Amino acid sequence: MYTAPKPNSKIIIVGAGCFGLSTAYALSKDKAKEYDIWVFDRGESIPISDAASTDISKAVRMDYGNNTLYMHLAVEAIDAWKQWNAERAEKKLVPVYHNTGMLIFSANGQYAEYEKDNMRSIREAGFGDYIEELNADQLKERYPYLTDTVDNGYDIAYANKVGGWCNSSESIKHLYGECIQNGVKFVLGNEAGRFEKLQVDGRHVRGIITADKKEHTADRVIVAAGSWTPSVIDMHRQAIATGQYVIHFSLSKEDQERMATFPVWSADVSNTGFYGFPCNENGILKIAKHSTGYLNPSSVLNQKISVPRTQSTNPNDTIPKSALAEARAFLKKFLPFTDALDVVYSRVCWYSDSIDGDFIIAPHPDYDHLIVATGDSGHAMKFLPVIGDKIRDIVEDTDSQYKQAWAWKKKEAPKGFYDRPLLVKEGDQDIRMATMDELRAYNKD
Ligand SMILES: Cc1cc2nc3c(=O)[nH]c(=O)nc-3n(C[C@H](O)[C@H](O)[C@H](O)COP(=O)(O)OP(=O)(O)OC[C@H]3O[C@@H](n4cnc5c(N)ncnc54)[C@H](O)[C@@H]3O)c2cc1C
């Protein structure tokens, strides 16, 4: 059974990513409660280099198909992102959120169901004036550098003026600073900071044991270890770590200027999975795919579980050869000019994919005093400024629509949920990482 922590309780949070830090901050804001908050992370410094939350950019969108829970949460988050920008401007710090708007493409002159649902939900919620539908001619006129894109079939889109991208690493740094200011304590590093197991007395969680074998007692433990969570706590197969890929191109000054009005985009995303970002201040154009992803099965917790494999432990990793081929084939149509560009950086980044795409932020049924905050399913970063408040309500056992939506799941995974391609397979030339040579352009003039 789970009960809310009393004032002055010691609360340990495992994981200093989006979920963990936002929770630490939210709990630390309530001075009357005077919680003693400790965050542990296996990484050496924040932002943690291979955390999902660490990146140059993440999309901040309110376009959520039929799912109005996340749409409204995104609207709340966007206001909070603007507030952060305003507070940072006073301190002469660069903004963490960029309101470029979103350009949401469908293909072949027809909106796909997902895009239709997006627009319907947005209009029904009274935000109809945020969006504008664009046909092929309007797209070409407004974004002349997308003429090939339109001619190749991505010829219908709507623009949402609300949304854009956040500099995710910078925003994690921002929140870390706020946590420090509020007295949150941090224990970092692969020995001192790495959660190894729970300290338990029957069902009762009394704290955690870290890799250096130290015991840390606590009144409540929150495990927010992202895609690593199922490999450190038995999640009853409710979430699995899936590797998703990202590639970067470096644009010439000329291309940067030509595409200066490029917003965050998605390209018939329910069918292709592809989305991307405008060039950042360093001329980097980032493209990613939201998909079923790849698995990296390992033997942990007496089970075969997909465990994140990242460039921290495998510094020469790029992205799967199959992923590169797929991205190049898509871009040949969507942004054909990238055919002549090298992929200058690539990375596999890990989702904690839940069985239904909803987060899992709930007391763990096997223990008392343990909360898990995971199952991000590849879409949580946009909520960074507000997700901690919702998690705090769950930690404090306050009822809310989020508590219900993110409760421990009482259902089975859909058929085929665990069947995804392998990231790498020893000795198989097709199931391997792309080489540096393969990442280079194959269509240079
Ligand atoms: C390729 C990619 C693209 C994405 N794009 C978007 C997007 O455009 N928009 C959006 O909103 N979201 C996006 N997301 C999702 C978003 O990044 C995640 O939802 C969010 O970062 C999850 O935060 P987290 O705190 O759960 O996980 P993480 O950020 O991964 O943090 C987990 C932390 O737990 C720590 N940890 C793990 N094991 C241990 C242990 N044993 N002991 C101590 N610490 C441990 C890790 O070191 C890590 O710091 C994307 C994700 C990926 C991978």
Side-chain angles (χ1 to χ4, degrees):
M1 181 160 132
Y2 184 80
T3 52
K6 297 198 175 80
N8 296 306
S9 289
K10 178 171 171 187
I11 300 178
I12 284 182
I13 299 170
V14 177
C18 162
F19 280 169
L21 277 188
S22 192
T23 306
Y25 179 59
L27 288 167
S28 71
K29 278 191 296 193
D30 191 343
K31 298 296 172 209
K33 300 272 173 49
E34 290 203 50
Y35 295 129
D36 181 19
I37 302 159
W38 292 72
V39 177
F40 286 73
D41 201 291
R42 60 188 247 297
E44 299 295 330
S45 60
I46 295 173
I48 310 296
S49 63
D50 59 355
S53 307
T54 302
D55 208 333
I56 59 168
S57 54
K58 301 283 186 197
V60 177
R61 63 176 158 97
M62 60 176 288
D63 312 73
Y64 255 99
N66 277 326
N67 200 321
T68 54
L69 181 98
Y70 293 103
M71 178 185 74
H72 286 293
L73 187 59
V75 170
E76 188 182 331
I78 288 168
D79 282 345
W81 280 111
K82 288 189 197 149
Q83 180 63 28
W84 279 15
N85 278 356
E87 287 161 15
R88 288 172 63 88
E90 276 179 24
K91 296 182 194 157
K92 309 228 173 316
L93 295 170
V94 292
V96 280
Y97 167 63
H98 302 269
N99 180 201
T100 59
M102 306 284 306
L103 188 56
I104 313 281
F105 285 90
S106 282
N108 305 321
Q110 287 267 339
Y111 286 113
E113 288 309 310
Y114 178 71
E115 280 77 29
K116 284 187 202 162
D117 289 343
N118 281 344
M119 288 192 282
R120 193 182 50 250
S121 300
I122 289 170
R123 286 179 176 133
E124 282 175 6
F127 301 125
D129 58 332
Y130 293 178
I131 58 179
E132 183 185 1
E133 296 185 41
L134 300 166
N135 64 25
D137 291 341
Q138 291 164 320
L139 279 166
K140 284 187 191 175
E141 196 186 322
R142 189 171 302 182
Y143 309 102
Y145 50 88
L146 295 181
T147 297
D148 290 341
T149 311
V150 175
D151 288 342
N152 288 340
Y154 294 97
D155 54 1
I156 184 166
Y158 75 88
N160 186 339
K161 66 181 178 190
V162 172
W165 61 279
C166 66
N167 179 332
S168 37
S169 292
E170 196 57 39
S171 48
I172 285 288
K173 258 198 258 173
H174 173 90
L175 200 49
Y176 176 47
E178 300 289 314
C179 284
I180 295 278
Q181 240 175 30
N182 280 1
V184 177
K185 290 136 200 135
F186 287 84
V187 183
L188 303 179
N190 199 33
E191 287 291 310
R194 184 154 62 84
F195 167 89
E196 203 165 77
K197 58 181 179 185
L198 295 168
Q199 207 186 332
V200 287
D201 182 359
R203 280 183 57 89
H204 193 116
V205 172
R206 301 221 170 268
I208 66 166
I209 300 174
T210 40
D212 56 4
K213 308 299 171 214
K214 284 212 173 112
E215 296 182 0
H216 307 270
T217 53
D219 299 296
R220 297 291 179 277
V221 174
I222 302 167
V223 176
S227 52
W228 288 268
T229 308
S231 53
V232 295
I233 293 277
D234 187 349
M235 285 298 295
H236 300 192
R237 289 166 59 85
Q238 294 210 343
I240 55 170
T242 67
Q244 312 277 337
Y245 65 89
V246 171
I247 57 176
H248 291 184
F249 296 103
S250 178
L251 295 202
S252 65
K253 278 267 168 299
E254 202 180 49
D255 279 341
Q256 289 177 47
E257 276 160 29
R258 193 170 62 85
M259 298 178 72
T261 60
F262 199 33
V264 175
W265 55 269
S266 63
D268 192 18
V269 72
S270 53
N271 292 310
T272 72
F274 283 101
Y275 65 99
F277 299 82
C279 242
N280 74 0
E281 69 279 13
N282 300 320
I284 297 297
L285 186 77
K286 174 180 148 183
I287 285 141
K289 185 177 180 199
H290 176 81
S291 71
T292 51
Y294 294 85
L295 301 181
N296 182 45
S298 303
S299 294
V300 281
L301 301 177
N302 302 321
Q303 301 170 46
K304 261 271 189 276
I305 282 183
S306 177
V307 177
R309 164 173 158 151
T310 72
Q311 289 169 347
S312 289
T313 46
N314 294 73
N316 296 326
D317 272 7
T318 57
I319 57 170
K321 184 184 158 205
S322 57
L324 178 65
E326 179 185 68
R328 284 289 194 188
F330 162 75
L331 287 169
K332 221 178 174 52
K333 284 187 149 185
F334 189 75
L335 290 176
F337 78 99
T338 59
D339 228 25
L341 301 179
D342 296 343
V343 171
V344 294
Y345 174 76
S346 65
R347 168 196 187 197
V348 173
C349 171
W350 293 81
Y351 293 175
S352 169
D353 253 334
S354 78
I355 57 174
D356 59 5
D358 276 322
F359 307 153
I360 309 169
I361 303 174
H364 194 291
D366 296 349
Y367 302 99
D368 294 336
H369 307 324
L370 174 67
I371 294 255
V372 288
T374 186
D376 70 276
S377 305
H379 66 110
M381 193 67 200
K382 67 182 68 61
F383 304 119
L384 180 74
V386 296
I387 190 89
D389 295 335
K390 315 304 175 199
I391 300 177
R392 179 201 53 215
D393 290 347
I394 294 169
V395 171
E396 295 187 333
D397 202 24
T398 308
D399 229 339
S400 71
Q401 55 179 333
Y402 300 106
K403 186 177 170 188
Q404 286 166 28
W406 303 336
W408 192 266
K409 298 177 195 310
K410 295 196 175 80
K411 55 185 162 193
E412 296 288 308
K415 199 163 176 282
F417 177 78
Y418 306 105
D419 305 332
R420 309 185 188 206
L422 293 180
L423 188 74
V424 288
K425 191 171 175 193
E426 201 74 21
D428 189 327
Q429 267 312 296
D430 286 329
I431 306 178
R432 62 162 174 84
M433 293 287 170
T435 63
M436 296 312 283
D437 204 39
E438 287 165 343
L439 290 171
R440 291 203 191 97
Y442 52 73
N443 190 17
K444 267 191 182 151
D445 289 333

